[in-house]
Amino acid sequence: MLTELELRIERLRAALTDATLAEVPPFRWDQLSETSYRIDLSQTRSPAQIANLAAALIANVACLKDHLKAWCERTGHHFEGDSLIDSDRDVALIHDLWNRDKHFKLDRPRSGTKPILSNLTQEIEIASLDGIAGSSIEGLIDSHTGEVRMKAGPNSRISLVVDGEIIDESGAPLGKLSEVCERAIASWTRVLRAAGVPV
């Protein structure tokens, strides 16, 4: 049986990969002698629905602090969550976005800025599984059925992700949401492992 913290980590993994391309149906339309297909990566989700997916991702990353604190209290490990937030800008940005979403305003930002999400979209992410350059995909659309077949190249992964820009209150860019989340998750993973959490 999963502990509360292990369940939270599983929810985080689910939030990172909300859907696969196989779940994105193409739209077909015929014009004169041509048939065309278009893939809507938003899956017809409204901006509010995409913002909700982003909020779920941010919450799943940020609340690792509270779950880790409970774990440390139960197991006797030293709690490093607050020092991680104060020393890691990416972790702090995610924590500030979460607090802003919960409380509407942000009086004491841990990142030194008041981050805001902007230009949220759902898009294709192609990533290398081993960190080596050269990720690739092959995409085929059956002209009779409209079925989309996407195949990842060797050591590659394809997924749909919610992404956008993190900006400060003046509009200055602070980073891409997906990249900041990935770095924050890597930092939390190190701290979780140091506390004996089975990640």
Side-chain angles (χ1 to χ4, degrees):
M1 184 170 166
L2 292 176
T3 67
E4 286 291 324
L5 185 52
E6 290 170 322
L7 180 59
R8 175 59 60 177
I9 293 167
E10 289 301 314
R11 285 177 58 187
L12 175 57
R13 288 188 180 117
L16 282 170
T17 55
D18 177 66
T20 65
L21 283 178
E23 297 168 349
V24 183
F27 296 98
R28 173 183 172 158
W29 70 94
D30 298 302
Q31 294 177 324
L32 301 174
S33 61
E34 290 185 3
T35 298
S36 300
Y37 292 92
R38 179 175 65 88
I39 297 176
D40 177 12
L41 295 178
S42 74
Q43 297 176 280
T44 67
R45 288 180 167 138
S46 70
Q49 290 169 316
I50 292 175
N52 192 53
L53 291 174
L57 172 59
I58 290 165
N60 276 298
V61 176
C63 74
L64 285 173
K65 174 196 167 193
D66 297 323
H67 287 269
L68 175 61
K69 186 173 185 177
W71 170 274
C72 289
E73 287 171 357
R74 192 172 66 250
T75 61
H77 284 86
H78 180 64
F79 175 62
E80 296 286 340
D82 283 311
S83 58
L84 177 64
I85 294 169
D86 292 335
S87 64
D88 188 307
R89 183 174 171 85
D90 295 312
V91 173
L93 283 171
I94 296 302
H95 193 78
D96 286 345
L97 285 168
W98 185 47
N99 277 326
R100 185 178 199 129
D101 190 43
K102 287 190 302 181
H103 306 298
F104 179 68
K105 61 181 184 172
L106 191 59
D107 295 328
R108 296 183 309 275
R110 305 281 289 268
S111 65
T113 187
K114 295 183 178 179
I116 301 167
L117 287 178
S118 176
N119 300 322
L120 289 173
T121 61
Q122 185 163 288
E123 52 195 53
I124 294 175
E125 179 184 74
I126 306 163
S128 171
L129 296 178
D130 54 15
I132 298 171
S135 298
S136 64
I137 61 169
E138 176 183 299
L140 300 169
I141 299 178
D142 187 310
S143 61
H144 299 292
T145 65
E147 179 188 358
V148 179
R149 291 190 296 274
M150 303 298 278
K151 179 181 175 187
N155 299 318
S156 299
R157 172 180 50 83
I158 313 166
S159 56
L160 282 175
V161 297
V162 172
D163 209 352
E165 295 296 324
I166 303 174
I167 59 173
D168 67 16
E169 288 187 316
S170 69
L174 300 172
K176 284 187 63 124
L177 175 63
S178 61
E179 293 171 1
V180 170
C181 278
E182 285 180 13
R183 291 191 299 265
I185 291 166
S187 295
W188 276 116
T189 300
R190 285 191 298 275
V191 171
L192 290 165
R193 284 188 175 135
V197 178
V199 180

